[in-house]
Amino acid sequence: MISPFLLTDFYKTIHHMCYAEGMTKLVSYWTPRMSRKEDMHKVVMFGLQPFLKKYLIEYFNDNFFSRDKEEVISEYKRVISKTMGDIASDTKHIEALHDLGYLPIQIKAVEEGSRVNIKTPMIEITNTHEDFPWLVNYLETFMSCNIWQPMTSATIAYRYREIVEKYFELTVDKGEVKRACGDFSMRGFSSIESAEISASAHLLSFVGTATIPAITYLEEYYNANLDEEVIGVGTPSTEHSVMCSYGEDEFSPYKRLITEVFPKGPLSIVSDTYDYWNVITSILPTLKEEILNRDGKVIIRGDSGDPVKIICGDKNSEKDSDEYKGTVELLWDIFGGEVNSKGYKVLNPKIGTIYGDSITVERCEEICKGLEEKGFAVNNCTFGIGSYTYQYNTRDTFGFALKATHAVINNEEKFIFKAPKTDKDNFKKSQKGMCYVYKEGEDILYKDELTIEEQAKYKDNLLELVFKDGKLIKDYSLDEIRNRLHGNF
């Protein structure tokens, strides 16, 4: 494991020499500066706590403060001198920090699980020792690459929850919204760490997941306890290799799976390996009694084609054909069900459907709307959300950045800010001075251009102390974050 001071961009390593002389304090704010996602104008605060625990505490202690000073300095100097030159490889600032023995950093943040308006600062970071103002923005890259992903995924998951919640209220009288969407994204992520971070963010809004490491991640970093609460649930499911192992005989695997292998409990069976519509209209009817007498739900999973048409039907197909009716209506024709108190059809509880391929935010809403228009409750289908949704994003999806806004130089407070004239939309314009973050109705807004003393007068500042001098001050639980985000998870 390398020194944390090598876990950054090259240019950060020389900034301690470049700041204005006499600077003893620097304050920076982490802010979502824009949204590139439709109908997502607030960002969910999530993912800072694991960074504090795993990196600012554990990693710094194990790989810097607890290591031999000469070893740490030698490692750093070797890399920087051979890549940036001798001037850049100055180590006096790092030696001084090692001698100090702790990380002189203070971090304040809005509560995890809060939804923060675009352009409102979410995190404040500053130094607590006047010799180390350079350390504040040195941590920017290290912090950014660890926290933009969970915030982005949590925000997107919240949007799915908004959509299904809207249609649940309209069409469902029995059913849990938190079971409407599952996370299928792990195989599409760039690393185990990024997968578990994103999948944990999904679990703020839902409980369905295929990503096992998200469970232990939330136990380790968010005080969750699998023995005492529902962190996430998986569903026994087949894949195409299982179905293909039987050859093109599609009857045998269905009968064996539902009567011998999983005779009870939920079982999701991928059904498009060969002939999806034939499975539904020919094979399922021959197994109707076994399915209805089974203690549990058989879930039919489509995995190819247009998800909206597969679930809701294709209005452009031949009238009353399988394609025209779609999965939910065909299952209704075979297994029946009941009409709920809101007047919508609900499939027999022994049968259901899931679709886990290409379910974008837009398609999720299309399917919900399509089912509602056909008179079916939305909980007849569950949705799998994949890596296209959760991985196909960047730090710029919500324009996250950590920018310096306030400094103390030669004992004088200075408002520092970025406002490029070439930035016509003011996307890159930063705050000035100290910030006060407050709630107004359903919005979280801010006031800037404050001195340190002026900011301190706002006792209701939503930026709360979470980390100071190498120690965690605030320790959130998964349960409180979920309930803060959704009122009542």
Side-chain angles (χ1 to χ4, degrees):
M1 304 293 278
I2 66 172
S3 164
F5 287 100
L6 294 174
L7 297 178
T8 190
D9 302 310
F10 271 118
Y11 79 141
K12 294 287 187 186
T13 62
I14 57 94
H15 290 171
H16 67 286
M17 298 186 287
C18 301
Y19 283 116
E21 289 186 318
M23 187 169 79
T24 55
K25 189 175 187 63
L26 187 66
V27 182
S28 294
Y29 289 93
W30 172 265
T31 306
R33 297 175 295 177
M34 68 175 297
S35 174
R36 299 179 191 272
K37 295 283 187 180
E38 189 175 351
D39 295 322
M40 297 185 212
H41 305 298
K42 295 180 181 180
V43 172
V44 176
M45 173 61 187
F46 179 69
L48 176 62
Q49 185 161 293
F51 173 68
L52 300 178
K53 290 183 176 182
K54 185 175 184 178
Y55 289 111
L56 291 198
I57 298 174
E58 184 179 334
Y59 197 96
F60 258 93
N61 287 339
D62 292 348
N63 298 288
F64 183 71
F65 292 114
S66 296
R67 289 175 64 192
D68 178 75
K69 177 180 172 181
E70 293 306 315
E71 178 185 306
V72 171
I73 298 305
S74 176
E75 174 190 52
Y76 177 87
K77 199 171 189 67
R78 172 183 171 270
V79 174
I80 303 304
S81 66
K82 293 184 182 300
T83 54
M84 295 266 282
D86 290 337
I87 295 177
S89 65
D90 171 66
T91 59
K92 291 185 180 64
H93 59 307
I94 296 177
E95 292 176 46
L97 181 63
H98 196 280
D99 291 341
L100 184 68
Y102 66 90
L103 200 63
I105 286 292
Q106 174 180 286
I107 297 177
K108 294 181 178 181
V110 298
E111 293 180 312
E112 298 216 19
S114 302
R115 294 180 64 233
V116 180
N117 292 59
I118 298 295
K119 294 191 180 298
T120 294
M122 305 169 75
I123 301 169
E124 175 191 289
I125 178 170
T126 189
N127 56 300
T128 59
H129 189 297
E130 65 178 18
D131 291 345
F132 300 97
W134 60 267
L135 187 55
V136 174
N137 264 46
Y138 197 104
L139 294 172
E140 176 191 10
T141 305
F142 195 13
M143 184 168 80
S144 178
C145 73
N146 278 280
I147 69 174
W148 74 258
Q149 180 94 64
M151 292 184 187
T152 301
S153 293
T155 302
I156 294 170
Y158 184 89
R159 179 62 189 143
Y160 278 92
R161 171 91 178 220
E162 279 186 317
I163 292 167
V164 293
E165 205 161 59
K166 168 186 169 184
Y167 285 95
F168 261 61
E169 290 176 4
L170 183 62
T171 69
V172 177
D173 61 7
K174 293 179 183 177
E176 294 182 294
V177 177
K178 62 188 178 185
R179 295 182 181 273
C181 296
D183 170 39
F184 288 7
S185 66
M186 183 174 177
R187 68 191 59 192
F189 267 90
S190 59
S191 68
I192 296 296
E193 187 174 38
S194 62
E196 64 188 1
I197 288 171
S198 175
S200 297
H202 169 89
L203 290 174
L204 300 189
S205 291
F206 301 101
V207 295
T209 187
T211 308
I212 296 173
I215 307 300
T216 52
Y217 185 88
L218 287 166
E219 285 192 309
E220 183 170 5
Y221 295 112
Y222 281 102
N223 304 297
N225 189 328
L226 187 59
D227 298 317
E228 298 176 359
E229 62 186 313
V230 177
I231 301 174
V233 295
T235 300
S237 309
T238 70
E239 67 176 14
H240 290 292
S241 69
V242 172
M243 310 312 287
C244 289
S245 70
Y246 292 84
E248 294 188 55
D249 169 21
E250 297 195 273
F251 176 79
S252 298
Y254 276 84
K255 180 159 185 173
R256 178 170 180 263
L257 288 167
I258 65 178
T259 61
E260 298 176 36
V261 182
F262 274 91
K264 64 179 181 178
L267 176 64
S268 172
I269 305 176
V270 64
S271 303
D272 71 323
T273 304
Y274 299 109
D275 191 340
Y276 181 76
W277 300 120
N278 183 64
V279 166
I280 294 177
T281 59
S282 297
I283 293 175
L284 293 184
T286 63
L287 294 170
K288 181 176 179 179
E289 291 307 311
E290 287 89 339
I291 291 172
L292 292 178
N293 292 326
R294 185 175 173 277
D295 182 15
K297 178 184 283 190
V298 173
I299 304 159
I300 305 304
R301 178 161 74 91
D303 197 42
S304 57
D306 183 321
V308 182
K309 294 177 180 178
I310 297 296
I311 297 298
C312 302
D314 182 0
K315 296 175 182 177
N316 295 319
S317 293
E318 181 181 346
K319 188 171 174 57
D320 294 328
S321 65
D322 298 342
E323 292 86 351
Y324 179 85
K325 289 185 173 183
T327 304
V328 174
E329 186 174 349
L330 289 173
L331 293 177
W332 174 267
D333 290 345
I334 298 165
F335 295 95
E338 64 176 15
V339 177
N340 65 24
S341 64
K342 295 181 179 179
Y344 291 88
K345 298 174 184 175
V346 181
L347 290 172
N348 188 297
K350 299 301 179 70
I351 194 76
T353 185
I354 185 171
Y355 203 101
D357 181 69
S358 304
I359 301 297
T360 61
V361 168
E362 294 75 21
R363 282 177 172 159
C364 176
E365 185 145 30
E366 281 187 69
I367 292 171
C368 289
K369 184 174 178 59
L371 290 174
E372 182 263 326
E373 289 177 345
K374 292 186 71 168
F376 285 98
V378 168
N379 63 332
N380 285 307
C381 179
T382 53
F383 307 100
I385 305 170
S387 59
Y388 180 85
T389 291
Y390 285 139
Q391 169 75 350
Y392 202 59
N393 300 291
T394 72
R395 176 179 71 95
D396 292 321
T397 299
F398 293 107
F400 287 118
L402 184 76
K403 296 302 174 188
T405 68
H406 187 278
V408 176
I409 302 172
N410 296 321
N411 296 318
E412 184 180 346
E413 290 190 54
K414 300 278 189 181
F415 292 173
I416 58 178
F417 60 96
K418 176 181 178 181
K421 290 185 177 180
T422 49
D423 177 28
K424 301 302 183 185
D425 297 323
N426 285 331
F427 161 57
K428 294 197 170 187
K429 184 178 181 181
S430 67
Q431 298 95 9
K432 295 181 185 180
M434 303 297 291
C435 295
Y436 157 57
V437 177
Y438 61 95
K439 189 156 189 175
E440 186 174 278
E442 295 300 312
D443 295 317
I444 292 181
L445 307 173
Y446 77 97
K447 176 181 176 58
D448 64 348
E449 300 193 40
L450 302 172
T451 64
I452 294 173
E453 184 179 344
E454 287 170 340
Q455 187 210 44
K457 291 179 181 178
Y458 292 100
K459 303 304 181 184
D460 60 342
N461 195 341
L462 297 182
L463 295 170
E464 297 183 0
L465 186 64
V466 295
F467 176 91
K468 186 174 183 179
D469 294 340
K471 293 182 172 57
L472 191 72
I473 306 300
K474 183 78 174 177
D475 199 0
Y476 296 103
S477 71
L478 172 64
D479 183 62
E480 68 178 295
I481 292 170
R482 281 172 161 175
N483 287 322
R484 181 174 297 116
L485 184 58
H486 296 289
N488 184 2
F489 183 74

